[in-house]
Amino acid sequence: MPAARRQPQTLFAIAVAAAVLLIAGAVFADYWSAKPPDATATFVGRSSCIDCHREQADAFRDSHHDLAMDVATDKSVLGDFNDATLEHDGLTNRMFRDGNKFMVHTEGPDGKMQDFEVKYVFGVDPLQQYMVEFDRSENMKPGAVGRLQVLRISWDTHAKKWFYLRPPDVEDKLAPDDPLHWTGIAQRWQTMCADCHSTDLKTGFDVATNRYHTTFSEIDVSCEACHGPGSMHVELANAKSLFWDRNHGYGLAKLKGGTNQQQLQACAPCHSRRGLLDAGFTAGDKYFDHYNLELLNQDTYFDDGQIKDEVYVFGSFIQSKMYHKDIRCTDCHDPHSLKLKHPGNETCTSCHQHAAGKYDVPSHHHHTPGTPGSMCVDCHMPHRTYMEVDPRRDHSLRVPRPDLSVKLGTPNACSGCHVQDQLKTMDEARREELVEYGDWLEAAEAGDEAVREAINETDAWCDEACEKWYGAERKTPEHFAESLAAFRRGDDGAVKKMLALATQPQDVAPAIARATALSELGMNQIVEAIPIAISLLKNENEHPVVRAAAVGVMVSAPPAATKKTLLPLLDDSLRLIRGEAARVLVSSGAYREMSASERTRVDLALREVQQSLMAAADRAGAHMAWAMLCEQQGRAEPAIQGYETAMRLEPLTTGPRTNLAGLLEQLAEQNPGPQSMQLMARAAALRDEELPLLARDAKLAPDNADVQYRYGLALYLQDDYDSALKQIQRAVELQPTVELFQQAARLLQEKMDSEK
């Protein structure tokens, strides 16, 4: 080809290559331009989401999240306010209208019947509650909220009637100054409800004035509560870039990762029973940087981990095989409507697609199709009713174990239905009270022997039925409940079982059960648990609840071992572990044996602990816990201030007075002189004030060993030895493995014998 003809082609190729390079460079530049890694998003509200996400917005509308809370209007209020009345405890309450206002005539904090305006509604199904605002200052802007109190007068949205929502185990009328009264702190929206029913909540509590200035970006659980602040996502979506951001992706929380952890940790803050470590959680954060999950405590779970009190799902779900098979919430629930994705058993069989006829047939469930026993959830997710009318299902998704019921007295789904066959053996008046399985269990726990015997007979019958159905193929593997129950009873050899449970692999015992074993070994000062705890803490991949419980065991270790093990954990990646390590280093006494530089490290870590505690600064317990740490550090002034603040915020709470009295007595002994008499006099007055409060708690919690023990000690300090011994012996009966209780009872008995 002649050179003259090749030249245009060459020039064209060069031009094309240059254009390609130019385009590629522009595309790469577009990709490479990104927001800084530390850029943060802000809350913009659901209105910014709807245009692009119409289908999701339509599904979300009128969901339980959408209706979690609202201003009281003709549309939002479901209850009958047409001059309706409700009587309870000798009070006649009236619900009525005053123009556009919704009003309730009921007992106020001073014990007098008064009219209160309902400002907000709370929830929608199966009950709706109503809130009254107090302490609203004149300078509050619209949208800000003062102290909100939740009325116990509630609306049953199914039966369409008013009912009085009593506190559990409280049959008597509540005194107006009782924390459980609707005007008390236990019914305060900010302390009990707000952060899970609103979006971007800022509590705004002022300790000095004991007042709230609470704000939120949206009144209910909206898009950004689950997906995180949306400003960056909106900005990226509206940009003319070909790409999302290389540092921040879509600009939202990543909920669809390779495991179930991202999604579960976004849902868990509101669907778990937990302690608050930091109030700044947004979706995408680590759960254990902000919360401390409650373990399998006897008040909230049965020995086998089934739900007893309301625990809000997460603590149950992480016990399940489903959790360990990477199942996540949205495999069963639509994330926007919150409805189940499939009707009936299809929710389960949509995944459990085994050989035809394996599960959803009588040969598996042994019940007539269409009856309750044929439904997957009735056997594997039995429910328990809370708040009088709200049934919640146990999400541990377990196989019914009547054999464990016979052995340990734990519930099982089979007996949950078949115990009703025993109604004919009950007195007619009793039958009306035994509506569901939970009623039977509560009656038996309260000491009703007839009910207990009926449950035992039902458990045995169900166990025999399972034996007939499955024979030699029946699976009854060892369960962690056997170790927990034996230890809690004080059985011989139970400590060895608990130590073994703490070291079980994850596929044998769930982390929450292992952590519970460690926690109870630590609280009972079982020194054999110390080397196990040290070993577990060396494994950074161990589950956070297990590591946190292992830290707690170190409170009984020699100071040198505690210091060596826990000082490195002050730099742990999780706030939960850092905080627990700092607390134990102080409370164990190791702090007093540290060098100045080591103490400085602990002091810096304690700043974060203080921040965690003050996330609940409206509760006396937060200030009392901080005061105790200050006292253990030898810092008397901030300790005194903390105890006094606790008493001021919750005058009827127990603990701060006793602790402050003890501290004042120590100061008086250390500083003899004119002031010591004043300190001793105030300490005596504090103990006198505390005694009736402890008596109240002991009566309300007869099965709580710690409460009985504290009341016993208070009686001892008042020289009422006979009553003191009775209370301490009760504590020993409730927790026979606690050496502290046994020693106190033994020493007091010896003292009484020597003085005869």
Side-chain angles (χ1 to χ4, degrees):
M1 181 182 294
R5 295 181 61 186
R6 289 200 305 271
Q7 185 176 7
Q9 292 177 342
T10 301
L11 292 174
F12 177 75
I14 292 172
V16 170
V20 169
L21 287 173
L22 184 63
I23 293 170
V27 170
F28 180 77
D30 180 28
Y31 164 77
W32 192 252
S33 63
K35 293 184 176 297
D38 60 351
T40 58
T42 57
F43 288 84
V44 294
R46 75 182 71 177
S47 60
S48 301
C49 310
I50 292 176
D51 288 344
C52 294
H53 301 283
R54 179 71 61 180
E55 181 181 348
Q56 290 82 1
D58 289 343
F60 169 78
R61 189 176 296 111
D62 293 335
S63 67
H64 282 203
H65 279 176
D66 183 26
L67 303 176
M69 181 174 166
D70 211 338
V71 175
T73 65
D74 288 337
K75 180 181 178 181
S76 65
V77 173
L78 302 178
D80 177 10
F81 280 82
N82 294 316
D83 209 28
T85 59
L86 174 70
E87 294 186 11
H88 71 83
D89 299 317
L91 302 176
T92 300
N93 309 277
R94 186 166 67 94
M95 285 60 72
F96 63 99
R97 297 290 296 267
D98 180 5
N100 292 327
K101 297 178 181 179
F102 296 86
M103 307 294 295
V104 175
H105 182 74
T106 190
E107 183 183 62
D110 58 0
K112 298 178 181 179
M113 298 295 288
Q114 304 170 48
D115 293 342
F116 297 94
E117 181 186 356
V118 170
K119 289 284 192 74
Y120 299 95
V121 300
F122 200 59
V124 64
D125 181 73
L127 75 159
Q128 186 174 72
Q129 295 178 280
Y130 303 93
M131 294 189 285
V132 175
E133 187 176 23
F134 292 83
D135 303 337
R136 185 175 183 85
S137 61
E138 294 180 358
N139 62 352
M140 273 191 183
K141 296 180 180 180
V145 178
R147 174 168 61 94
L148 290 183
Q149 297 291 153
V150 185
L151 287 154
R152 288 195 172 277
I153 300 166
S154 308
W155 180 253
D156 184 334
T157 60
H158 291 183
K160 299 192 183 308
K161 66 177 184 179
W162 292 103
F163 70 99
Y164 178 70
L165 182 58
R166 290 189 179 279
D169 304 321
V170 178
E171 297 298 330
D172 299 331
K173 179 185 180 300
L174 293 169
D177 61 354
D178 193 303
L180 297 172
H181 190 268
W182 78 270
T183 58
I185 196 166
Q187 286 294 106
R188 190 173 300 171
W189 173 73
Q190 279 94 344
T191 60
M192 303 301 292
C193 326
D195 58 344
C196 286
H197 279 255
S198 298
T199 302
D200 186 28
L201 183 92
K202 301 289 187 296
T203 303
F205 179 71
D206 185 340
V207 174
T209 62
N210 197 9
R211 296 220 167 189
Y212 296 90
H213 189 108
T214 305
T215 61
F216 38 69
S217 62
E218 294 187 80
I219 196 170
D220 52 23
V221 183
S222 198
C223 312
E224 292 166 293
C226 301
H227 294 282
S231 64
M232 188 183 299
H233 176 70
V234 172
E235 183 181 343
L236 293 172
N238 291 330
K240 297 180 180 180
S241 173
L242 296 172
F243 306 97
W244 293 97
D245 192 271
R246 63 183 175 86
N247 289 328
H248 298 278
Y250 295 114
L252 295 171
K254 297 176 182 178
L255 305 181
K256 297 181 179 180
T259 73
N260 59 6
Q261 289 304 304
Q262 292 93 327
Q263 185 184 112
L264 290 177
Q265 292 194 40
C267 299
C270 289
H271 292 277
S272 63
R273 186 155 174 161
R274 75 295 190 275
L276 181 64
L277 300 177
D278 179 70
F281 179 90
T282 59
D285 290 348
K286 295 178 180 178
Y287 176 88
F288 292 101
D289 260 343
H290 296 266
Y291 304 100
N292 186 5
L293 180 66
E294 183 170 307
L295 302 181
L296 303 180
N297 297 334
Q298 289 179 273
D299 292 338
T300 47
Y301 294 89
F302 290 97
D303 289 337
D304 62 350
Q306 291 188 74
I307 59 174
K308 179 186 290 186
D309 202 357
E310 198 167 9
V311 293
Y312 310 105
V313 175
F314 185 57
S316 298
F317 186 62
I318 63 174
Q319 300 177 47
S320 71
K321 289 184 178 180
M322 300 296 100
Y323 169 77
H324 295 100
K325 293 291 186 181
D326 216 32
I327 297 300
R328 56 204 77 189
C329 312
T330 54
D331 288 326
C332 299
H333 301 272
D334 181 279
H336 299 102
S337 71
L338 309 183
K339 297 177 181 177
L340 289 171
K341 286 188 170 181
H342 304 282
N345 285 350
E346 287 183 39
T347 300
C348 303
T349 57
S350 62
C351 284
H352 291 275
Q353 295 175 344
H354 298 276
K358 183 170 184 180
Y359 290 121
D360 198 8
V361 289
S363 60
H364 172 70
H365 53 65
H366 298 275
H367 289 79
T368 304
T371 63
S374 68
M375 303 301 295
C376 305
V377 292
D378 286 334
C379 292
H380 301 290
M381 299 180 68
H383 79 270
R384 193 173 174 101
T385 298
Y386 304 100
M387 303 183 77
E388 300 287 344
V389 296
D390 192 0
R392 306 280 180 93
R393 291 201 176 273
D394 190 320
H395 278 65
S396 56
L397 297 124
R398 64 184 64 227
V399 173
R401 293 287 301 271
D403 60 304
L404 288 180
S405 300
V406 172
K407 185 184 297 184
L408 306 176
T410 50
N412 74 88
C414 306
S415 294
C417 283
H418 289 285
V419 74
Q420 297 297 329
D421 298 338
Q422 298 283 347
L423 270 177
K424 59 182 180 294
T425 67
M426 298 291 113
D427 294 337
E428 187 172 348
R430 200 78 176 90
R431 295 175 195 174
E432 296 181 3
E433 301 173 358
L434 300 172
V435 177
E436 64 172 46
Y437 191 32
D439 300 326
W440 293 77
L441 296 172
E442 289 175 7
E445 191 171 5
D448 191 317
E449 290 301 324
V451 170
R452 176 75 266 169
E453 182 59 29
I455 293 175
N456 290 342
E457 290 182 10
T458 305
D459 291 342
W461 182 86
C462 294
D463 186 37
E464 291 171 7
C466 289
E467 197 66 30
K468 291 177 183 177
W469 289 343
Y470 303 110
E473 297 182 0
R474 186 183 183 189
K475 297 178 181 179
T476 56
E478 186 173 354
H479 195 280
F480 65 77
E482 298 174 65
S483 299
L484 288 177
F487 185 76
R488 289 166 176 174
R489 289 193 305 260
D491 292 356
D492 291 339
V495 169
K496 185 177 180 180
K497 290 183 178 180
M498 288 283 274
L499 295 170
L501 171 58
T503 57
Q504 291 282 10
Q506 184 83 327
D507 58 345
V508 175
I512 193 171
R514 297 170 55 220
T516 302
L518 280 169
S519 176
E520 296 194 13
L521 287 166
M523 287 189 293
N524 286 276
Q525 299 181 335
I526 305 299
V527 295
E528 293 91 338
I530 294 171
I532 291 175
I534 293 173
S535 176
L536 290 169
L537 287 169
K538 291 178 181 178
N539 181 6
E540 294 183 357
N541 295 321
E542 185 58 82
H543 196 285
V545 295
V546 174
R547 296 180 68 217
V551 171
V553 170
M554 299 304 298
V555 76
S556 301
T562 301
K563 184 174 71 170
K564 180 181 178 181
T565 304
L566 299 188
L567 271 177
L569 298 182
L570 298 179
D571 299 318
D572 195 85
S573 61
L574 287 177
R575 183 190 295 259
L576 171 63
I577 305 303
R578 296 194 299 271
E580 289 299 300
R583 289 177 195 244
V584 172
L585 282 167
V586 174
S587 61
S588 66
Y591 180 85
R592 295 179 180 271
E593 298 189 15
M594 291 180 183
S595 65
S597 61
E598 290 170 337
R599 286 192 183 189
T600 299
R601 287 187 64 191
V602 177
D603 292 342
L604 291 172
L606 285 174
R607 293 181 185 179
E608 188 176 57
V609 172
Q610 184 181 20
Q611 291 173 359
S612 292
L613 291 169
M614 293 308 116
D618 53 351
R619 298 308 305 260
H623 298 277
M624 181 174 165
W626 177 243
M628 291 170 66
L629 286 171
C630 291
E631 184 178 351
Q632 289 158 350
Q633 284 181 283
R635 298 167 60 214
E637 285 305 314
I640 292 171
Q641 182 181 356
Y643 291 134
E644 289 178 337
T645 300
M647 289 186 288
R648 177 171 58 82
L649 294 180
E650 294 187 56
L652 297 182
T653 193
T654 53
R657 288 174 181 81
T658 297
N659 286 20
L660 180 54
L663 175 55
L664 295 176
E665 288 164 352
Q666 288 181 21
L667 293 174
E669 292 175 4
Q670 295 167 4
N671 302 282
Q675 190 180 6
S676 66
M677 297 296 292
Q678 297 176 358
L679 293 173
M680 293 298 289
R682 190 181 177 207
L686 288 168
R687 293 195 185 280
D688 288 342
E689 292 173 15
E690 185 88 326
L691 193 63
L693 300 178
L694 287 167
R696 175 204 64 192
D697 288 357
K699 180 180 178 181
L700 291 173
D703 295 328
N704 187 305
D706 290 328
V707 170
Q708 304 304 315
Y709 177 69
R710 290 203 304 271
Y711 182 38
L713 287 185
L715 290 166
Y716 168 75
L717 292 172
Q718 296 286 343
D719 296 327
D720 186 352
Y721 293 167
D722 290 333
S723 299
L725 183 60
K726 179 180 178 182
Q727 295 302 137
I728 295 173
Q729 286 176 336
R730 175 60 180 159
V732 172
E733 292 172 6
L734 292 169
Q735 288 194 359
T737 59
V738 179
E739 177 59 29
L740 178 65
F741 299 165
Q742 294 181 5
Q743 184 181 39
R746 185 169 58 251
L747 292 175
L748 179 53
Q749 184 67 68
E750 291 174 359
K751 180 178 178 62
M752 292 171 65
D753 291 342
S754 67
E755 294 181 357
K756 285 182 179 178

